[in-house]
Amino acid sequence: MFRSQAPTGLVIVLAAALTTPQTLAATVYETPSDKLIFSGRISVGSSFVDKTDDGHDLANVGSRARLIHEHDFKGGWSSVARAEWGFDPFFEDADDAYSKRQLYAGVRHDDYGTLLIGKQESLWYDMVADWTDWFWYNGATAQGSFNGAAGDGGFEGNGRADDAVSYKNAFGDWTVGILYQPPRDGMPPNADYSGNLTGYTRNYTGQGAVVYKPSEDWSFGAAYTHSDIDGKLANGTTSANVDAGLLAARWTPSNWYFSLSGGEYRNLVRDGSFSDVDEVDGIIDKARGFEGVALYNVKNRIPGKVQIYSGFNRLEDTGSDARSAFYLAGAAWLTLNDDLIVALERKFNDSTDAEGGNVDSDETDLLVRYNF
């Protein structure tokens, strides 16, 4: 572990990025019809939690690398293949934390839409939930994307859906998409569940999303997921299926960005998301989540641009007084063609346990990210 080295590590990443003359993203291979691109990001942060004596450990914050291949066919068709892997460049636990994020292939056409097959960002996230995921360090805790059996939302299909087939197309002011996941046996890797739950399998997932964009500044979105799940408790009863719905709106006038979302999640959220909530199967029967963000881009004042932003995430257990919630204020500096980001966030916790008592502390978070 990197003990008490967060400021030093952040300075090293910042200095390395500032001395790099241009982004490291590379076109590995290119012809008139083919292109192979290598890119990714190195991201590191540190949290300073009030009323604690922790060492403010340096932490990896979503570092990743990707390969993207594109091929242009005749008649307006093209193909795309993407492989993206998460890793920890700092070996915090003597491990690179290697993980598959996306691995898919597909075809697209301006008139006929896009068809993808493989592990990919869900339509739930890509088309709707992403609108409120604008904080650089925190966020996305109450939108239903990453609240399922595995941390990446792959099993129920709301985050980075595994083994999925999706189709998306635009029709005037409307964009629609559908996604399907076939059966999958066994618990997903890194699953969060109670030992009382066995035989957890997915029979299928069906998902739909729609976005209406009546003007350049306004967008309205909706997404729904039904995941047919079998899982038995120790007493032989069967756990219920996952049903989740999300509504969102965003307004983007000039240098401003505003977005608000709200959702309801049945049998999706794990009880570990809340303090002192103990469901027999580890799954919350019904939860509600709300997220909001307000952001302003300050341009042409210094090199790059500055973002000043605030917002909230609030996830509630409808069966108790427990909630996982916070309010946030932050600022970020984006420079070197927006490839270098330095962000500082102040997080004000508003979480409560099942009896309504306050839990958690406020904290300050610092992040440095370099996109290559």
Side-chain angles (χ1 to χ4, degrees):
M1 293 293 290
F2 288 80
R3 294 292 179 186
S4 304
Q5 296 298 315
T8 301
L10 291 171
V11 168
I12 291 173
V13 174
L14 179 59
L18 287 172
T19 55
T20 302
Q22 58 185 7
T23 180
L24 298 178
T27 300
V28 179
Y29 173 79
E30 185 173 15
T31 69
S33 59
D34 286 276
K35 181 183 290 188
L36 181 64
I37 302 169
F38 173 73
S39 65
R41 75 188 194 202
I42 303 294
S43 186
V44 58
S46 185
S47 294
F48 300 81
V49 182
D50 293 2
K51 303 176 183 178
T52 65
D53 295 322
D54 64 55
H56 312 304
D57 291 354
L58 185 70
N60 173 51
V61 189
S63 298
R64 64 200 61 170
R66 66 181 70 89
L67 277 172
I68 301 174
H69 178 264
E70 299 174 346
H71 177 80
D72 289 329
F73 298 97
K74 295 181 179 180
W77 288 96
S78 64
S79 67
V80 59
R82 176 171 179 151
E84 181 174 292
W85 304 90
F87 67 99
D88 180 5
F90 309 103
F91 289 80
E92 295 174 62
D93 298 304
D95 184 1
D96 63 3
Y98 168 82
S99 63
K100 179 172 69 176
R101 291 177 54 86
Q102 298 187 58
L103 186 63
Y104 65 78
V107 294
R108 56 193 177 198
H109 190 281
D110 288 343
D111 295 327
Y112 302 118
T114 300
L115 177 70
L116 301 178
I117 301 175
K119 186 171 179 62
Q120 58 190 275
E121 282 192 350
S122 66
L123 299 174
W124 172 287
Y125 181 81
D126 179 57
M127 293 178 62
V128 183
D130 178 55
W131 295 2
T132 55
D133 189 14
W134 273 67
F135 307 144
W136 288 102
Y137 190 94
N138 296 282
T141 61
Q143 59 180 232
S145 298
F146 309 107
N147 303 95
D152 70 347
F155 193 74
E156 298 86 354
N158 275 14
R160 292 185 291 276
D162 60 46
D163 304 322
V165 180
S166 71
Y167 173 75
K168 181 171 68 172
N169 201 2
F171 305 92
D173 296 336
W174 296 84
T175 301
V176 297
I178 56 174
L179 179 145
Y180 171 78
Q181 287 179 290
R184 174 175 174 173
D185 294 330
M187 295 296 298
N190 303 316
D192 179 14
Y193 72 105
S194 167
N196 292 326
L197 186 60
T198 61
Y200 196 77
T201 62
R202 178 186 70 217
N203 296 318
Y204 70 88
T205 294
Q207 184 179 106
V210 58
V211 173
Y212 174 53
K213 190 176 176 63
S215 69
E216 187 66 25
D217 296 340
W218 281 98
S219 299
F220 302 91
Y224 177 78
T225 296
H226 174 76
S227 196
D228 190 292
I229 303 293
D230 284 338
K232 292 187 177 181
L233 303 179
N235 61 9
T237 60
T238 302
S239 65
N241 301 329
V242 170
D243 285 285
L246 186 71
L247 297 174
R250 66 179 174 186
W251 182 41
T252 58
S254 186
N255 292 331
W256 289 93
Y257 181 95
F258 300 94
S259 186
L260 182 67
S261 69
E264 183 170 289
Y265 322 119
R266 298 177 182 267
N267 302 304
L268 175 68
V269 177
R270 269 37 193 180
D271 59 7
S273 297
F274 305 106
S275 178
D276 295 332
V277 175
D278 186 17
E279 294 282 352
V280 66
D281 58 359
I283 304 173
I284 300 297
D285 293 337
K286 184 168 69 173
R288 293 194 178 102
F290 307 91
E291 294 187 356
V293 58
L295 179 148
Y296 182 73
N297 288 298
V298 181
K299 300 179 180 179
N300 304 318
R301 301 291 183 180
I302 62 173
K305 67 181 178 184
V306 173
Q307 291 181 346
I308 301 171
Y309 53 95
S310 65
F312 67 92
N313 281 196
R314 183 184 180 95
L315 182 66
E316 304 172 342
D317 172 21
T318 62
S320 73
D321 290 330
R323 67 174 180 262
S324 177
F326 66 84
Y327 299 92
L328 183 141
W333 176 43
L334 290 72
T335 188
L336 300 183
N337 295 319
D338 292 351
D339 287 325
L340 174 63
I341 301 101
V342 181
L344 182 68
E345 297 180 355
R346 179 62 175 172
K347 179 179 174 183
F348 304 94
N349 267 292
D350 190 35
S351 299
T352 58
D353 59 24
E355 303 301 323
N358 292 330
V359 296
D360 296 332
S361 299
D362 298 342
E363 64 184 67
T364 301
D365 304 301
L366 179 63
L367 173 138
V368 174
R369 176 187 298 179
Y370 185 66
N371 300 319
F372 60 84

